[in-house]
Amino acid sequence: MSEHFVFPVPASALEGTHCTKEQYDALYEQSINDPDGFWKDQAGRIDWMKPFTKVKNASFSGDISIKWFEDGTLNASANCIDRHLPERANDTAIIWEGDDPADSKHITFSELYEQVCQFANVLKKRGAKKGDRITIYMPMIPEAVYAMLACARIGAVHSVVFGGFSPDALAGRIQDCQSTFVITADEGLRGAKKVPLKANVDTALEQCPDVSSVVVVRRTGGEVAWSEGRDVWYHEAAATVPAECPPEEMSAEDPLFILYTSGSTGKPKGVLHTTGGYMVWAAMTHEYVFDYKQGDIYWCTADVGWVTGHTYIVYGPLANGATTLVFEGIPTYPDAGRFWQVCEKHKVNIFYTAPTAIRALERLGDEFVTKHDRSSIRLLGTVGEPINPEAWLWYHKVVGEERCPIVDTWWQTETGGVMISPLPGATDLKPGSATNPMFGVKPALVDQDGNILEGATSGNLVITDSWPGQMRSVFGDHDRFKQTYFSTYKGMYFTGDGCRRDEDGYYWITGRVDDVINVSGHRMGTAEVESALVEHDLVAEAAVVGFPHDIKGQGIYAYVTLFEGAESSEELRKELVALVRQEIGPIATPDFIQFAPALPKTRSGKIMRRILRKIAENEFGNLGDTSTLADPGVVDDLIENRQNK
Ligand code: WTA
């Protein structure tokens, strides 16, 4: 695939666009040269209770302090709901599409208002207050959104944990942020399969004695165990509280949410986002990147358990008064045409999904797509991992009928919202490239020593100045924040991604350069999987690497060394897989486990992952320099017994 393959902005994308090429150039320039002026204007998207006087106060050196709009006050839920009521009370805020295609409903802004106020009152009545951390472990039902906005309304900090995580993973996240409240449902429903959410919470809470309140939404009506006093049914509690709850006045730098994400070392980190800058960033990027116009039906297929769900299902679209579609199910149920059936049913205009879903659906054949009417779709988007040009072209041709621009959006949990992306009316597209920076974003490529590289080149991607949506800290561990993001290259935010810039200045993200792998768009620290494996009594040591996987983007390959005298077996392999699923969840299931008598190490005892990666990629003809290995013989055995043949 040549990178000279260019798709110019189609005339249809120019109609009523928020941003043409000329406007992009002018606004980008202003955002860099006059950030205070630019962001003062952009902050006008948000309703402030008390206006700010100071725009930006951020430093990437020393203790790393990031503040935006710091003396302003606001409430995120009021921005997503209350301010739309005067003109839009009866417009649809949320279209909910259930797992079963017969199940769907529309929720207006005035219904959303009542539901969120009621939810907020239930939390308050049970003692929740400003600053408390509330864990949300929910299926994709409207109550998940109500719960998030209810926390925001009373100034509590939500920590949403993806419903696919195991009880152990949930417990770790509850403990880390000392959360005393959990919101969950009896069961989730995905592809007609039940997910035992309440039972998982019960198991997790055996390790979390400080949780005093569990609010349970009834979804399936399945049997659940009950802890009197601690557990309460949401519908019962809601019936006793008013549907009015004034929004708490929050300072711009008060925390809005914590979201756990994997890094290259240690346990997942609690990425902390605050209120003012995040809301401005979410609203602005949602409008420009999706060229959102009032009345558009907008669908992001992510789960609210990930940052994409936070910013582009909940906060961005609702801040803009958009109709946001919340989908409970999976792309292949009842059949592989589900996405397109839903687009047809609800006349979706903007569709945003992950490359892994595109690749999986492409395999199942065009007919699932073409049998549904997609004429309402005007714009397509992707997020979460690099999209290979083949999948991009299929998405463009078959799904988008060659009419729809594709926005390939690069960003991270840490960045709060989109950082590098085409804008539909402004950017000529190149399949596989996230193209140009968003306003206010100053990307740079650096070499190993942190020297900034100019022109067409490859390097590690850093951002050299603050933007409003940036994470402010790691919850409870500011040193880890400094260490992880600002110590590799002094004075710059290090993304952990490698990147190439072409002769037109377009950015092409090449993937993680640290020990983080990206499996179906889900971030996973290899260290987390390794620590799950070594929990097993027979395992002495484990090393986990990623390898290219046709659908998942990357798969998980684990090398395991057993203690002297322990025997490897199929049985043990199964136990290890089960252990990883128990410690983390099904998304971390290893694709291959290779038992190895020893791992390749340097003389100082460091595991040489470069070699393990090559073997997992089946590229052992090209292992590079192995002369520093303590015992080069180890490698022959690894190659001989590789699993990925
Ligand atoms: C990767 C998801 C290439 C990248 C919003 C990043 C991408 C990590 C893209 C963050 C893209 C995300 N092209 N790579 N368009 N979008 N990534 O925190 O490696 O779950 O660092 O945030 O996903 O994943 P996270």
Side-chain angles (χ1 to χ4, degrees), residues 176-227:
D176 184 82
C177 67
Q178 300 121 32
S179 170
T180 54
F181 260 81
V182 177
I183 302 171
T184 190
D186 49 2
E187 295 172 314
L189 205 53
R190 281 167 55 81
K193 288 207 194 87
K194 292 183 172 162
V195 186
L197 296 172
K198 172 64 165 66
N200 286 351
V201 169
D202 291 337
T203 309
L205 294 193
E206 288 167 16
Q207 304 171 50
C208 309
D210 294 337
V211 172
S212 54
S213 198
V214 179
V215 176
V216 188
V217 175
R218 182 179 276 163
R219 167 62 186 105
T220 63
E223 279 287 305
V224 291
W226 209 250
S227 166

Side-chain angles (χ1 to χ4, degrees), residues 261-262 306-308 352 355 382-387 407-415 417 420 432-434 495-498 508-513 516 518 521-523:
T261 192
S262 298
W306 310 113
V307 74
T308 309
Y352 188 35
T382 71
V383 59
E385 48 175 321
I387 181 162
V407 289
D408 173 352
T409 64
W410 174 83
W411 58 294
Q412 310 178 296
T413 306
E414 294 88 340
T415 70
I420 302 182
S433 172
T495 63
D497 280 327
W508 301 69
I509 310 295
T510 48
R512 302 290 304 198
V513 293
V516 169
N518 192 325
H522 302 321
R523 249 167 95 163

Side-chain angles (χ1 to χ4, degrees), residues 369-437:
V369 186
T370 54
K371 73 177 179 194
H372 297 286
D373 176 20
R374 288 145 3 265
S375 57
S376 62
I377 304 179
R378 133 174 104 62
L379 178 68
L380 299 169
T382 71
V383 59
E385 48 175 321
I387 181 162
N388 46 311
E390 293 70 24
W392 193 102
L393 289 169
W394 181 81
Y395 196 33
H396 186 256
K397 182 158 178 249
V398 179
V399 177
E401 301 173 316
E402 295 179 356
R403 293 179 287 109
C404 307
I406 297 178
V407 289
D408 173 352
T409 64
W410 174 83
W411 58 294
Q412 310 178 296
T413 306
E414 294 88 340
T415 70
V418 173
M419 297 289 280
I420 302 182
S421 170
L423 302 188
T427 319
D428 297 338
L429 306 174
K430 299 186 190 185
S433 172
T435 77
N436 303 143

Side-chain angles (χ1 to χ4, degrees), residues 154-172:
I154 65 172
V157 184
H158 59 70
S159 162
V160 185
V161 177
F162 174 56
F165 278 122
S166 69
D168 278 346
L170 173 63

Side-chain angles (χ1 to χ4, degrees), residues 112 286 392 508 556:
L112 182 63
H286 174 262
W392 193 102
W508 301 69
I556 301 179

Side-chain angles (χ1 to χ4, degrees), residues 431-473:
S433 172
T435 77
N436 303 143
M438 183 43 59
F439 305 126
V441 173
K442 290 207 254 179
L445 302 182
V446 295
D447 65 17
Q448 295 302 332
D449 303 321
N451 302 306
I452 293 192
L453 307 167
E454 304 292 342
T457 185
S458 293
N460 287 345
L461 179 63
V462 297
I463 313 289
T464 62
D465 201 353
S466 182
W467 63 99
Q470 182 172 24
M471 74 184 280
R472 301 302 196 250
S473 192

Side-chain angles (χ1 to χ4, degrees), residues 14 131 188 197 221 285 310 318 340 342 409 536 549 568 594 614:
L14 289 172
L197 296 172
T285 52
H310 283 58
L318 292 176
W340 326 115
V342 174
T409 64
H536 196 285
H549 186 288
S568 65
Q594 174 170 353
K614 290 279 179 212

